[in-house]
Amino acid sequence: MITDRVSFGQTDLRVSRLCQGTAFRHLPRADGPEGLAVLHHCLDQGINFFDSAQAYGWGGAEEVLGRAVAGRRDEVVLCTKVPASLAPSSEGDPGEHVRYTRAHLTERLEESLHRLRTNYIDLYLLHHRDPDTPLEEIAAVMQDLVQAGKTRYWGVSNHSAAEVEAFLALAPVAGVEDYYNIAGSHCDQSGRSRVEIYEEEMIPLLEREQLGCLAFSPMDTGLLAPPVPDDPALAALTAVIDRVADDLNTRRAALCVAWVLHQGLTCVLAGCESPEHVDATIEGTHLQLPTDALDALDKARQTYRSSQKEARA
């Protein structure tokens, strides 16, 4: 059970340190009983922060979240994201790229409000970069949506630290949503670890500007989920995670959540797909990591990071 609340950055949004997402990997991203059961369990366990996106099932994920919080809107903080693309013509195909014009940002938000069964969003995020539209134009529209009461705050996801800083020079940005976890298996186009870049560039900016952060994929897009990963280097890292978890009488998922929160980020965004997984991740929000555990985990992740660099060399 979660009872504590923290401020999301400098906003007055008071949120649980675990945010439940709706980018389900195995459950349907649609208004169905499977996802609804998970979301209801989250609510019953005190989670009040929920994340969705128009691109998750192209409306389906927002619809199930809207159904889940119906009648409880004043208890929750809702975040959704607008893509820089349109819905694809067929499943698996990329949607047509579009710019973050006033019409696109406004019309997509109205659609989200309808699916989420609410008249305002707490946090509206730009899901992807739009290199073709001046930041000044985008920031002006997002601020207008705040002034109109359509969203209380806005922010970005999957943007660079430099882009976030440029936005901050134009308007108040509440925070970010980004990939961050103990492994950091995924790399950028140049082959650099996205987590390493985040630690060098984004986290200092978040601390300096006191921005909120939703850190997604605590289980590294499922790569850290049981059983043992096929990759020997990743398997070695999970072996240390499991040993530390056993010493602390907890589970791998809980330890991964606790590690992210220990880095000083506001919230962990998890995509739990069962009540049992919800309970395991909640456990991580209460877990205090002693110095010897942190040292062991840091040594293991540095070894894994070195193996990644060697493999890319």
Side-chain angles (χ1 to χ4, degrees), residues 107-190:
E107 291 169 8
R108 298 294 83 75
L109 179 54
E110 290 294 343
E111 293 167 359
S112 291
L113 292 172
H114 176 73
R115 289 189 290 260
L116 290 166
R117 307 182 184 198
T118 183
N119 57 9
Y120 70 96
I121 301 296
D122 294 292
L123 186 60
Y124 191 41
L125 304 182
L126 305 173
H127 202 165
H128 313 105
R129 298 177 61 250
D130 170 16
D132 302 320
T133 304
L135 299 186
E136 294 86 351
E137 293 182 15
I138 298 173
V141 178
M142 298 298 272
Q143 280 299 107
D144 286 346
L145 293 173
V146 172
Q147 292 298 317
K150 298 294 184 178
T151 184
R152 295 179 65 193
Y153 300 98
W154 69 277
V156 302
S157 180
N158 301 307
H159 285 61
S160 70
E163 289 165 328
V164 174
E165 197 157 21
F167 270 128
L168 283 167
L170 299 168
V173 174
V176 301
E177 179 180 315
D178 290 309
Y179 167 81
Y180 190 78
N181 55 71
I182 191 171
S185 300
H186 297 278
C187 300
D188 69 359
Q189 293 180 341
S190 70

Coordinates of all heavy atoms in Angstrom, one line a residue, residues 107-190:
E107 N -6.3 19.6 -31.1 CA -7.3 18.6 -31.5 C -7.0 17.2 -30.8 O -7.9 16.5 -30.4 CB -7.3 18.4 -33.0 CG -7.9 19.6 -33.7 CD -7.7 19.6 -35.2 OE1 -7.2 18.6 -35.7 OE2 -8.0 20.6 -35.8
R108 N -5.7 16.9 -30.7 CA -5.3 15.6 -30.1 C -5.7 15.6 -28.6 O -6.1 14.6 -28.0 CB -3.9 15.3 -30.3 CG -3.4 15.1 -31.7 CD -4.0 13.9 -32.5 NE -5.3 14.2 -33.0 CZ -5.5 14.9 -34.1 NH1 -4.5 15.5 -34.7 NH2 -6.8 15.1 -34.5
L109 N -5.5 16.8 -28.0 CA -5.8 16.9 -26.5 C -7.3 16.8 -26.3 O -7.7 16.1 -25.4 CB -5.3 18.2 -26.0 CG -5.6 18.5 -24.5 CD1 -5.1 17.4 -23.6 CD2 -5.0 19.8 -24.1
E110 N -8.1 17.4 -27.2 CA -9.6 17.2 -27.0 C -10.0 15.8 -27.1 O -10.9 15.3 -26.4 CB -10.3 18.1 -28.1 CG -10.2 19.6 -27.9 CD -10.9 20.1 -26.6 OE1 -11.7 19.3 -26.1 OE2 -10.6 21.2 -26.2
E111 N -9.3 15.0 -28.0 CA -9.6 13.6 -28.2 C -9.3 12.8 -26.9 O -10.0 11.9 -26.5 CB -8.9 13.0 -29.4 CG -9.4 13.6 -30.7 CD -8.5 13.2 -31.9 OE1 -7.4 12.6 -31.7 OE2 -8.8 13.6 -33.0
S112 N -8.1 13.2 -26.3 CA -7.7 12.5 -25.1 C -8.6 12.8 -23.9 O -9.0 11.9 -23.1 CB -6.3 13.0 -24.7 OG -5.3 12.5 -25.6
L113 N -9.1 14.1 -23.8 CA -10.0 14.4 -22.8 C -11.3 13.6 -22.9 O -11.9 13.1 -21.9 CB -10.4 15.9 -22.9 CG -9.3 16.9 -22.6 CD1 -9.7 18.3 -22.9 CD2 -8.9 16.8 -21.1
H114 N -11.8 13.4 -24.1 CA -13.0 12.6 -24.3 C -12.7 11.1 -23.9 O -13.6 10.5 -23.2 CB -13.4 12.6 -25.8 CG -14.6 11.8 -26.1 ND1 -15.8 12.1 -25.7 CD2 -14.6 10.6 -26.8 CE1 -16.7 11.1 -26.2 NE2 -15.9 10.2 -26.8
R115 N -11.6 10.5 -24.3 CA -11.4 9.1 -24.0 C -11.1 9.0 -22.5 O -11.5 7.9 -21.9 CB -10.2 8.6 -24.8 CG -10.5 8.5 -26.3 CD -9.3 7.8 -27.0 NE -8.2 8.6 -27.1 CZ -7.8 9.3 -28.2 NH1 -8.6 9.2 -29.3 NH2 -6.7 10.0 -28.2
L116 N -10.5 9.9 -21.8 CA -10.2 9.8 -20.4 C -11.3 10.3 -19.5 O -11.3 10.2 -18.3 CB -8.9 10.7 -20.1 CG -7.6 10.1 -20.6 CD1 -6.5 11.2 -20.6 CD2 -7.2 8.9 -19.8
R117 N -12.4 10.7 -20.2 CA -13.7 11.1 -19.4 C -13.4 12.2 -18.4 O -13.9 12.2 -17.3 CB -14.3 9.9 -18.7 CG -14.5 8.7 -19.6 CD -15.2 7.6 -18.9 NE -15.3 6.4 -19.7 CZ -16.1 5.4 -19.5 NH1 -16.9 5.4 -18.4 NH2 -16.2 4.4 -20.3
T118 N -12.7 13.2 -18.9 CA -12.4 14.4 -18.0 C -12.3 15.6 -18.8 O -12.3 15.6 -20.0 CB -11.0 14.1 -17.3 OG1 -10.7 15.2 -16.4 CG2 -9.9 14.1 -18.3
N119 N -12.4 16.8 -18.1 CA -12.3 18.0 -18.8 C -11.0 18.7 -18.7 O -10.8 19.9 -19.1 CB -13.4 19.0 -18.3 CG -13.4 19.2 -16.8 OD1 -12.4 18.8 -16.2 ND2 -14.4 19.9 -16.3
Y120 N -10.0 18.0 -18.0 CA -8.6 18.6 -18.0 C -7.6 17.4 -17.7 O -8.0 16.4 -17.2 CB -8.5 19.6 -16.8 CG -8.5 19.0 -15.5 CD1 -7.3 18.7 -14.8 CD2 -9.7 18.7 -14.8 CE1 -7.4 18.1 -13.5 CE2 -9.8 18.2 -13.6 CZ -8.6 17.9 -12.9 OH -8.7 17.3 -11.7
I121 N -6.4 17.6 -18.2 CA -5.3 16.7 -18.0 C -4.4 17.4 -16.9 O -4.2 18.6 -16.9 CB -4.5 16.4 -19.3 CG1 -5.4 15.8 -20.3 CG2 -3.3 15.5 -19.0 CD1 -6.0 14.5 -20.0
D122 N -3.8 16.6 -16.1 CA -2.9 17.1 -15.1 C -1.5 17.4 -15.7 O -0.9 18.4 -15.4 CB -2.7 16.2 -13.9 CG -4.0 16.1 -13.1 OD1 -4.4 17.0 -12.5 OD2 -4.6 15.0 -13.2
L123 N -1.1 16.6 -16.6 CA 0.2 16.7 -17.2 C 0.2 16.2 -18.7 O -0.1 15.0 -18.9 CB 1.2 15.9 -16.4 CG 2.7 16.0 -16.8 CD1 3.2 17.4 -16.6 CD2 3.5 15.0 -15.9
Y124 N 0.4 17.1 -19.6 CA 0.3 16.9 -21.0 C 1.8 16.9 -21.6 O 2.4 18.0 -21.5 CB -0.6 17.9 -21.7 CG -1.0 17.6 -23.1 CD1 -1.3 16.4 -23.6 CD2 -1.0 18.7 -24.0 CE1 -1.7 16.2 -24.9 CE2 -1.4 18.5 -25.4 CZ -1.8 17.2 -25.8 OH -2.2 17.0 -27.1
L125 N 2.2 15.8 -22.2 CA 3.6 15.7 -22.6 C 3.7 15.6 -24.1 O 2.9 14.9 -24.8 CB 4.3 14.5 -22.0 CG 4.3 14.4 -20.4 CD1 5.1 13.2 -20.0 CD2 4.9 15.6 -19.8
L126 N 4.8 16.2 -24.7 CA 5.2 16.0 -26.0 C 5.9 14.6 -26.1 O 6.9 14.4 -25.5 CB 6.1 17.1 -26.5 CG 5.6 18.5 -26.4 CD1 6.7 19.5 -26.8 CD2 4.4 18.7 -27.3
H127 N 5.3 13.6 -26.8 CA 5.8 12.3 -26.7 C 7.1 12.1 -27.5 O 7.9 11.3 -27.1 CB 4.7 11.3 -27.3 CG 4.9 9.9 -26.9 ND1 3.9 9.0 -27.0 CD2 5.9 9.2 -26.3 CE1 4.3 7.8 -26.5 NE2 5.5 7.9 -26.1
H128 N 7.3 12.9 -28.5 CA 8.5 12.7 -29.4 C 9.0 14.1 -29.8 O 8.3 15.1 -29.6 CB 8.1 11.9 -30.7 CG 7.4 10.7 -30.4 ND1 6.0 10.6 -30.7 CD2 7.8 9.5 -29.9 CE1 5.6 9.3 -30.4 NE2 6.6 8.7 -29.9
R129 N 10.1 14.1 -30.3 CA 10.7 15.4 -30.9 C 10.0 15.8 -32.2 O 9.6 14.9 -32.9 CB 12.2 15.2 -31.1 CG 13.0 14.9 -29.9 CD 14.5 14.6 -30.3 NE 15.1 15.9 -30.9 CZ 15.4 15.9 -32.2 NH1 15.2 14.9 -33.0 NH2 15.9 17.1 -32.7
D130 N 9.9 17.0 -32.4 CA 9.5 17.6 -33.7 C 10.5 18.6 -34.1 O 10.5 19.8 -33.8 CB 8.1 18.2 -33.6 CG 7.7 19.0 -34.8 OD1 8.4 18.8 -35.9 OD2 6.8 19.9 -34.8
P131 N 11.5 18.1 -34.9 CA 12.6 19.0 -35.3 C 12.2 20.1 -36.3 O 13.0 21.0 -36.6 CB 13.7 18.1 -35.9 CG 12.8 16.9 -36.4 CD 11.7 16.8 -35.5
D132 N 11.0 20.0 -36.9 CA 10.6 20.9 -37.9 C 9.8 22.1 -37.5 O 9.6 23.0 -38.3 CB 9.7 20.1 -39.0 CG 10.5 18.9 -39.5 OD1 11.7 19.1 -39.8 OD2 9.8 17.9 -39.7
T133 N 9.4 22.1 -36.2 CA 8.6 23.3 -35.7 C 9.4 24.0 -34.7 O 10.0 23.4 -33.8 CB 7.3 22.8 -35.1 OG1 6.6 22.0 -36.0 CG2 6.5 24.0 -34.6
P134 N 9.5 25.4 -34.8 CA 10.3 26.1 -33.8 C 9.8 25.9 -32.4 O 8.6 25.8 -32.2 CB 10.1 27.6 -34.3 CG 9.7 27.5 -35.7 CD 9.0 26.2 -35.9
L135 N 10.7 25.8 -31.5 CA 10.3 25.5 -30.1 C 9.4 26.7 -29.6 O 8.5 26.4 -28.7 CB 11.5 25.4 -29.2 CG 12.5 24.3 -29.5 CD1 13.6 24.2 -28.5 CD2 11.8 22.9 -29.7
E136 N 9.6 27.9 -30.0 CA 8.8 29.0 -29.6 C 7.3 28.8 -29.9 O 6.5 29.1 -29.1 CB 9.3 30.3 -30.2 CG 10.7 30.8 -29.8 CD 11.8 30.1 -30.7 OE1 11.5 29.2 -31.5 OE2 12.9 30.5 -30.5
E137 N 7.1 28.2 -31.1 CA 5.7 28.0 -31.5 C 5.1 26.9 -30.6 O 3.9 27.0 -30.2 CB 5.6 27.6 -33.0 CG 6.0 28.7 -33.9 CD 5.9 28.3 -35.4 OE1 5.3 27.3 -35.7 OE2 6.5 29.0 -36.2
I138 N 5.8 25.8 -30.4 CA 5.3 24.7 -29.6 C 5.0 25.2 -28.2 O 3.9 24.9 -27.6 CB 6.3 23.5 -29.6 CG1 6.5 23.0 -31.0 CG2 5.8 22.4 -28.7 CD1 7.6 22.0 -31.1
A139 N 6.0 25.9 -27.6 CA 5.8 26.3 -26.2 C 4.6 27.3 -26.1 O 3.9 27.2 -25.1 CB 7.1 27.0 -25.7
A140 N 4.4 28.1 -27.1 CA 3.3 29.1 -27.0 C 1.9 28.3 -27.0 O 1.0 28.7 -26.2 CB 3.3 30.0 -28.2
V141 N 1.8 27.3 -27.8 CA 0.6 26.5 -27.8 C 0.4 25.8 -26.5 O -0.7 25.8 -25.9 CB 0.6 25.5 -29.0 CG1 -0.7 24.7 -29.0 CG2 0.7 26.2 -30.3
M142 N 1.4 25.2 -26.0 CA 1.3 24.4 -24.7 C 0.9 25.4 -23.6 O 0.1 25.0 -22.7 CB 2.6 23.7 -24.4 CG 3.0 22.6 -25.5 SD 1.7 21.3 -25.6 CE 2.3 20.1 -24.4
Q143 N 1.5 26.5 -23.6 CA 1.1 27.5 -22.5 C -0.3 28.0 -22.7 O -1.1 28.2 -21.7 CB 2.0 28.7 -22.6 CG 3.4 28.5 -21.9 CD 3.2 28.2 -20.5 OE1 3.4 27.0 -20.0 NE2 2.9 29.1 -19.6
D144 N -0.8 28.1 -23.9 CA -2.2 28.5 -24.2 C -3.1 27.4 -23.7 O -4.2 27.7 -23.1 CB -2.4 28.7 -25.7 CG -1.8 30.0 -26.1 OD1 -1.5 30.9 -25.3 OD2 -1.7 30.3 -27.4
L145 N -2.8 26.1 -23.8 CA -3.6 25.0 -23.3 C -3.7 25.1 -21.8 O -4.7 24.7 -21.2 CB -3.0 23.7 -23.8 CG -3.1 23.5 -25.3 CD1 -2.4 22.2 -25.7 CD2 -4.6 23.4 -25.8
V146 N -2.6 25.5 -21.2 CA -2.6 25.6 -19.7 C -3.5 26.8 -19.3 O -4.4 26.6 -18.4 CB -1.2 25.9 -19.2 CG1 -1.2 26.2 -17.7 CG2 -0.3 24.7 -19.4
Q147 N -3.4 27.9 -20.0 CA -4.2 29.0 -19.7 C -5.7 28.8 -19.9 O -6.6 29.3 -19.2 CB -3.8 30.2 -20.6 CG -2.4 30.8 -20.2 CD -2.3 31.3 -18.8 OE1 -3.3 32.0 -18.3 NE2 -1.3 31.0 -18.1
A148 N -6.0 27.9 -20.9 CA -7.4 27.5 -21.2 C -7.9 26.5 -20.2 O -9.1 26.2 -20.3 CB -7.5 27.0 -22.6
G149 N -7.1 26.0 -19.3 CA -7.6 25.0 -18.4 C -7.7 23.6 -18.9 O -8.2 22.7 -18.2
K150 N -7.1 23.4 -20.1 CA -7.2 22.0 -20.7 C -6.2 21.1 -20.1 O -6.4 19.9 -20.0 CB -7.0 22.1 -22.2 CG -8.0 22.9 -22.9 CD -9.4 22.3 -22.9 CE -10.4 23.0 -23.7 NZ -11.8 22.4 -23.7
T151 N -5.1 21.6 -19.7 CA -4.1 20.9 -18.9 C -3.5 21.8 -17.8 O -3.4 23.0 -18.0 CB -2.9 20.3 -19.8 OG1 -2.0 19.5 -19.1 CG2 -2.2 21.5 -20.5
R152 N -3.1 21.2 -16.7 CA -2.6 22.0 -15.6 C -1.1 22.3 -15.9 O -0.7 23.4 -15.5 CB -2.8 21.2 -14.3 CG -4.3 21.1 -13.9 CD -4.4 20.3 -12.6 NE -3.9 21.1 -11.5 CZ -3.7 20.6 -10.3 NH1 -3.9 19.3 -10.0 NH2 -3.2 21.4 -9.3
Y153 N -0.4 21.3 -16.4 CA 1.0 21.5 -16.7 C 1.4 20.8 -17.9 O 0.6 19.9 -18.4 CB 1.9 21.0 -15.5 CG 1.6 21.6 -14.2 CD1 0.7 21.0 -13.3 CD2 2.2 22.8 -13.8 CE1 0.4 21.6 -12.0 CE2 1.9 23.5 -12.6 CZ 1.0 22.9 -11.7 OH 0.7 23.5 -10.6
W154 N 2.6 21.1 -18.5 CA 3.1 20.3 -19.6 C 4.5 20.0 -19.5 O 5.2 20.6 -18.7 CB 2.8 21.1 -20.9 CG 3.5 22.4 -21.1 CD1 3.3 23.6 -20.6 CD2 4.7 22.5 -21.9 NE1 4.2 24.5 -21.0 CE2 5.1 23.9 -21.8 CE3 5.5 21.7 -22.7 CZ2 6.2 24.4 -22.5 CZ3 6.6 22.2 -23.3 CH2 7.0 23.5 -23.2
G155 N 5.0 19.1 -20.3 CA 6.4 18.7 -20.3 C 6.7 17.9 -21.5 O 6.0 18.0 -22.5
V156 N 7.8 17.2 -21.5 CA 8.3 16.5 -22.7 C 8.8 15.1 -22.3 O 9.1 14.8 -21.2 CB 9.5 17.2 -23.4 CG1 9.0 18.6 -23.8 CG2 10.7 17.3 -22.5
S157 N 8.8 14.2 -23.3 CA 9.3 12.9 -23.2 C 10.2 12.6 -24.4 O 10.0 13.1 -25.5 CB 8.2 11.9 -23.2 OG 8.6 10.5 -23.1
N158 N 11.3 11.9 -24.2 CA 12.2 11.5 -25.2 C 12.9 12.7 -25.9 O 13.1 12.7 -27.1 CB 11.5 10.6 -26.3 CG 11.0 9.4 -25.6 OD1 11.7 8.6 -25.0 ND2 9.7 9.1 -25.8
H159 N 13.2 13.8 -25.2 CA 13.9 14.9 -25.7 C 15.2 15.0 -25.0 O 15.5 14.4 -23.9 CB 13.1 16.2 -25.4 CG 11.9 16.4 -26.2 ND1 10.8 15.6 -26.3 CD2 11.6 17.4 -27.1 CE1 9.9 16.0 -27.1 NE2 10.4 17.2 -27.6
S160 N 16.2 15.7 -25.7 CA 17.5 15.8 -25.1 C 17.5 16.9 -24.0 O 16.6 17.7 -23.9 CB 18.5 16.2 -26.2 OG 18.2 17.6 -26.6
A161 N 18.5 16.9 -23.2 CA 18.7 17.9 -22.1 C 18.8 19.3 -22.7 O 18.2 20.2 -22.2 CB 19.9 17.6 -21.3
A162 N 19.4 19.4 -23.9 CA 19.6 20.7 -24.5 C 18.2 21.2 -25.0 O 17.9 22.4 -24.9 CB 20.5 20.6 -25.7
E163 N 17.3 20.3 -25.5 CA 16.0 20.8 -25.9 C 15.2 21.2 -24.7 O 14.4 22.1 -24.8 CB 15.3 19.6 -26.7 CG 15.9 19.4 -28.0 CD 15.5 18.1 -28.7 OE1 15.3 17.1 -27.9 OE2 15.5 18.0 -29.9
V164 N 15.3 20.4 -23.6 CA 14.5 20.8 -22.4 C 15.0 22.1 -21.9 O 14.2 23.0 -21.5 CB 14.7 19.7 -21.3 CG1 14.1 20.2 -20.0 CG2 14.1 18.4 -21.7
E165 N 16.3 22.4 -21.9 CA 16.8 23.7 -21.4 C 16.3 24.8 -22.3 O 16.0 25.9 -21.9 CB 18.3 23.6 -21.4 CG 19.0 24.7 -20.6 CD 20.4 24.4 -20.1 OE1 21.0 23.5 -20.7 OE2 20.8 25.0 -19.2
A166 N 16.2 24.5 -23.6 CA 15.7 25.6 -24.6 C 14.3 25.9 -24.3 O 13.8 27.0 -24.4 CB 15.9 25.1 -26.0
F167 N 13.5 24.8 -24.0 CA 12.1 25.1 -23.7 C 11.9 25.9 -22.4 O 11.1 26.8 -22.3 CB 11.3 23.7 -23.5 CG 10.7 23.2 -24.8 CD1 11.0 21.9 -25.2 CD2 9.8 23.9 -25.5 CE1 10.4 21.4 -26.3 CE2 9.2 23.4 -26.7 CZ 9.5 22.1 -27.1
L168 N 12.8 25.6 -21.4 CA 12.7 26.3 -20.1 C 13.0 27.8 -20.3 O 12.5 28.6 -19.5 CB 13.7 25.7 -19.2 CG 13.4 24.4 -18.5 CD1 14.6 23.7 -17.8 CD2 12.2 24.5 -17.5
A169 N 13.8 28.1 -21.3 CA 14.0 29.6 -21.6 C 12.8 30.3 -22.1 O 12.7 31.5 -22.2 CB 15.2 29.7 -22.5
L170 N 11.8 29.5 -22.6 CA 10.6 30.0 -23.2 C 9.4 30.0 -22.3 O 8.5 30.9 -22.4 CB 10.3 29.3 -24.5 CG 11.4 29.3 -25.6 CD1 11.1 28.2 -26.6 CD2 11.5 30.7 -26.2
A171 N 9.3 29.0 -21.5 CA 8.0 28.8 -20.7 C 8.3 27.8 -19.6 O 9.3 27.0 -19.6 CB 6.9 28.3 -21.6
P172 N 7.4 27.8 -18.5 CA 7.6 26.8 -17.5 C 7.3 25.4 -18.0 O 6.3 25.1 -18.6 CB 6.5 27.2 -16.5 CG 6.2 28.6 -16.8 CD 6.3 28.7 -18.3
V173 N 8.3 24.5 -17.8 CA 8.1 23.1 -18.1 C 8.1 22.3 -16.7 O 9.0 22.5 -15.9 CB 9.3 22.6 -18.9 CG1 9.2 21.1 -19.2 CG2 9.3 23.3 -20.3
A174 N 7.1 21.5 -16.6 CA 6.9 20.8 -15.3 C 7.9 19.7 -15.1 O 8.3 19.4 -14.0 CB 5.5 20.3 -15.2
G175 N 8.2 19.0 -16.2 CA 9.1 17.8 -16.0 C 9.2 17.0 -17.3 O 8.7 17.4 -18.3
V176 N 9.8 15.8 -17.1 CA 10.1 15.0 -18.2 C 9.7 13.5 -17.9 O 9.5 13.2 -16.8 CB 11.6 15.0 -18.6 CG1 12.0 16.4 -18.9 CG2 12.4 14.4 -17.4
E177 N 9.6 12.8 -19.0 CA 9.4 11.3 -18.9 C 10.4 10.7 -19.8 O 10.4 10.9 -21.0 CB 7.9 10.9 -19.3 CG 7.7 9.4 -19.3 CD 6.3 9.1 -19.7 OE1 5.3 9.8 -19.3 OE2 6.1 8.1 -20.5
D178 N 11.3 9.8 -19.2 CA 12.4 9.3 -20.0 C 12.7 7.9 -19.5 O 12.5 7.5 -18.3 CB 13.6 10.2 -19.9 CG 13.4 11.5 -20.6 OD1 13.0 11.5 -21.8 OD2 13.7 12.5 -20.0
Y179 N 13.5 7.2 -20.3 CA 14.0 5.8 -20.1 C 15.1 5.9 -19.1 O 16.1 6.6 -19.3 CB 14.4 5.2 -21.4 CG 15.3 4.0 -21.4 CD1 14.7 2.7 -21.2 CD2 16.7 4.1 -21.5 CE1 15.5 1.6 -21.2 CE2 17.5 3.0 -21.5 CZ 16.9 1.7 -21.4 OH 17.7 0.6 -21.4
Y180 N 15.0 5.2 -18.0 CA 16.1 5.1 -17.0 C 16.0 3.9 -16.1 O 14.9 3.7 -15.5 CB 16.2 6.4 -16.2 CG 17.4 6.5 -15.3 CD1 18.7 6.8 -15.9 CD2 17.4 6.1 -14.0 CE1 19.8 6.9 -15.2 CE2 18.6 6.2 -13.2 CZ 19.8 6.6 -13.8 OH 20.9 6.6 -13.1
N181 N 17.0 3.1 -16.0 CA 17.0 1.9 -15.1 C 18.4 1.5 -14.8 O 19.4 2.1 -15.3 CB 16.2 0.8 -15.8 CG 16.8 0.5 -17.2 OD1 17.8 -0.1 -17.3 ND2 16.0 0.9 -18.2
I182 N 18.6 0.5 -14.0 CA 19.9 0.1 -13.5 C 20.8 -0.5 -14.6 O 22.0 -0.5 -14.6 CB 19.8 -0.9 -12.3 CG1 21.1 -1.2 -11.7 CG2 19.1 -2.3 -12.8 CD1 21.0 -2.0 -10.4
A183 N 20.2 -1.1 -15.7 CA 20.9 -1.7 -16.7 C 21.2 -0.8 -17.8 O 22.4 -0.5 -18.2 CB 20.2 -3.0 -17.3
G184 N 20.2 -0.2 -18.4 CA 20.4 0.8 -19.5 C 20.9 0.1 -20.8 O 21.9 0.5 -21.4
S185 N 20.3 -1.0 -21.2 CA 20.7 -1.8 -22.3 C 20.6 -1.0 -23.6 O 21.3 -1.3 -24.6 CB 19.9 -3.1 -22.4 OG 20.1 -3.9 -21.3
H186 N 19.6 -0.1 -23.7 CA 19.3 0.5 -25.0 C 20.3 1.7 -25.2 O 20.6 2.5 -24.3 CB 17.9 1.0 -25.0 CG 16.9 -0.2 -25.0 ND1 16.6 -0.9 -26.1 CD2 16.2 -0.7 -23.9 CE1 15.7 -1.8 -25.7 NE2 15.5 -1.8 -24.4
C187 N 20.6 1.9 -26.5 CA 21.6 2.9 -26.9 C 21.0 3.9 -27.9 O 19.9 3.6 -28.5 CB 22.8 2.3 -27.6 SG 23.7 1.1 -26.5
D188 N 21.6 5.0 -28.0 CA 21.1 6.0 -29.0 C 21.7 5.6 -30.4 O 22.3 4.6 -30.6 CB 21.5 7.4 -28.6 CG 23.0 7.7 -28.7 OD1 23.7 6.8 -29.1 OD2 23.4 8.9 -28.4
Q189 N 21.4 6.5 -31.4 CA 21.8 6.2 -32.7 C 23.3 6.1 -32.9 O 23.8 5.4 -33.8 CB 21.2 7.2 -33.7 CG 19.7 7.1 -33.8 CD 19.1 8.2 -34.8 OE1 19.8 9.2 -35.1 NE2 17.9 8.0 -35.2
S190 N 24.0 6.8 -32.0 CA 25.5 6.8 -32.1 C 26.1 5.6 -31.4 O 27.3 5.3 -31.5 CB 26.1 8.0 -31.5 OG 25.9 8.1 -30.1

